[in-house]
Amino acid sequence: MAKILLTGGAGYIGSHTYLALIDAGFEVVIFDNFSNAKPDVPARLQDIAGDRVHVVEGDVLNRTDLDAAFAAHQIDGVVHFAAKKAVGESVEKPLDYMHTNVGGLLNVLAAMEAGGCRRIVFSSSATVYGDTDVQPIPEDHPRTYTSPYAFTKIAGEQILEQLTDDWAVGILRYFNPVGAHRSAMIGEDPEDIPNNLVPYIAKVATGDLAKLSVFGDDYDTPDGTGVRDYIHVEDLANGHVLSLKRLIDTGESHTVNLGTGEGSSVLDVVRAYGAACGDDIAYAIAPRRDGDVAVLTARPDKAKAELGFEATRTLADMCRSSWAWVSGQRRNDK
Ligand code: WQD
């Protein structure tokens, strides 16, 4: 039974990937400094999965912490989630982002090499495509960064592309992950006012925030608001399982989009969330947000061809699962 180390495994996508890997029969170790994850996430994962959760508390910027993880566990593969991911924050703190996202990756790769493990799945992002009219976007689209965050994702991909053939690398370019686990016991749990659309709407639905600002309704889209490729976080987690299986079974490296291929506008999401929570979501049209593009949707066929990956959950599923999580509809039947 292969054992997988998840750096940042207590985070939003990491914790959902943890459960998907356990369901798929893997052993899993969470490596996290809990800078962006609640301390009780492992306990909740244990409630859901039933088995003891293995955690190594540490920082990807600390090589000693990483070496300790490889000394304590025979690691067969790594999923590297641990990174900073707020586009706006990266503009204010570019050096922090390069230090953590690029320096952290280099540390992980060095610890892997020393630990005799050369399989890595890398958490990348559709942001590597920049602002493009080519929609839906194929993986061979040129990469260009529009923020320091995007730069760090392109740099990470390019570092991984330099590795020799005895490495097996899965690069997964996420579109817009949203939603929560079917148990409603884990989900997106932002510390302060969310930058992203769905967690913001969720706080309007719970009454924590008064109304949503819709950043622009004058884009060249069906209803004038921004269109994105939202993907359920459980589908996204399944993409990681399939990527690891391919690396372990064939050693074949790959770079794929993880999206549905379907675009939804901001107002589509507002309506879907209103249906999920049974109440209209209050909103007002506001000026465009700097850096936003009109449309961002994935060409999903390469992930299907190379990994057998297909997103199955709908926007309604995403909103229902998010609402169940934020409204505390904890389901002990899993
Ligand atoms: C979605 C749509 C906004 C908030 C970002 C990062 C990307 C990735 C996912 C890390 C857009 C609109 C949003 C609000 C709004 N993160 N919106 N009011 O910008 O597509 O992607 O998160 O990998 O790298 O760039 O996601 O959820 O912020 O925005 O109208 O309060 O919702 O204009 O059209 P985005 P988002």
Side-chain angles (χ1 to χ4, degrees):
M1 183 189 303
K3 185 176 278 191
I4 307 299
L5 182 76
L6 304 185
T7 71
Y12 173 45
I13 297 167
S15 57
H16 288 81
T17 302
Y18 175 91
L19 293 173
L21 285 168
I22 293 290
D23 280 352
F26 288 88
E27 282 190 278
V28 190
V29 180
I30 286 174
F31 181 90
D32 209 305
N33 66 1
F34 291 90
S35 63
N36 192 26
K38 296 280 190 332
D40 71 338
V41 167
R44 280 186 269 143
L45 291 174
Q46 190 155 312
D47 280 354
I48 298 167
D51 302 332
R52 177 172 164 254
V53 175
H54 299 285
V55 179
V56 174
E57 187 157 352
D59 194 319
V60 290
L61 292 177
N62 185 325
R63 175 68 192 274
T64 306
D65 292 351
L66 286 164
D67 289 343
F70 283 90
H73 299 279
Q74 177 58 44
I75 301 298
D76 300 298
V78 171
V79 183
H80 181 49
F81 291 109
K84 291 177 181 286
K85 70 171 185 80
V87 173
E89 184 187 51
S90 78
V91 176
E92 294 156 26
K93 303 175 181 174
L95 281 178
D96 276 7
Y97 270 67
M98 286 185 268
H99 187 52
T100 299
N101 293 6
V102 182
L105 171 63
L106 289 170
N107 249 8
V108 167
L109 292 173
M112 287 176 68
E113 185 147 69
C117 172
R118 286 173 179 69
R119 294 188 193 97
I120 182 168
V121 173
F122 177 65
S123 169
S124 190
S125 165
T127 199
V128 304
Y129 295 119
D131 184 356
T132 176
D133 294 332
V134 176
Q135 300 294 337
I137 306 174
E139 285 83 352
D140 60 1
H141 187 287
R143 291 173 294 201
T144 174
Y145 54 85
T146 53
S147 68
Y149 166 73
F151 168 83
T152 69
K153 288 303 179 183
I154 293 172
E157 292 191 6
Q158 291 177 328
I159 287 166
L160 292 165
E161 287 160 8
Q162 311 309 314
L163 300 179
T164 52
D165 293 349
D166 59 340
W167 283 82
V169 174
I171 292 174
L172 307 182
R173 292 173 179 166
Y174 307 166
F175 278 69
N176 287 64
V178 297
H181 189 256
R182 71 199 74 156
S183 65
M185 291 164 63
I186 57 168
E188 196 162 9
D189 198 359
E191 284 296 322
D192 43 28
I193 295 182
N195 293 309
N196 294 141
L197 179 67
V198 170
Y200 196 104
I201 289 177
K203 286 190 180 288
V204 173
T206 56
D208 293 315
L209 290 170
K211 67 179 171 187
L212 169 73
S213 296
V214 175
F215 295 144
D217 67 347
D218 57 352
Y219 286 103
D220 181 14
T221 62
D223 66 14
T225 65
V227 170
R228 295 292 183 273
D229 188 332
Y230 297 97
I231 178 170
H232 196 293
V233 65
E234 286 207 73
D235 279 334
L236 194 77
N238 186 41
H240 292 73
V241 174
L242 294 172
S243 177
L244 275 166
K245 283 180 172 177
R246 183 164 174 85
L247 296 182
I248 291 168
D249 296 348
T250 72
E252 290 288 318
S253 295
H254 48 274
T255 296
V256 295
N257 292 331
L258 290 186
T260 67
E262 298 296 317
S264 299
S265 75
V266 174
L267 294 182
D268 289 335
V269 180
V270 166
R271 272 189 294 276
Y273 214 102
C277 70
D279 205 350
D280 288 343
I281 300 297
Y283 70 89
I285 304 299
R288 290 183 177 192
R289 178 173 66 177
D290 286 350
D292 273 352
V293 299
V295 179
L296 200 58
T297 53
R299 277 280 300 272
D301 32 338
K302 192 163 183 273
K304 174 96 167 109
E306 294 188 10
L307 304 183
F309 173 77
E310 207 160 10
T312 60
R313 293 166 177 90
T314 64
L315 182 64
D317 296 329
M318 297 173 213
C319 293
R320 275 195 293 265
S321 65
S322 170
W323 174 241
W325 155 246
V326 296
S327 60
Q329 297 168 34
R330 175 174 176 150
R331 292 178 50 210
N332 291 314
D333 62 354
K334 299 178 205 36

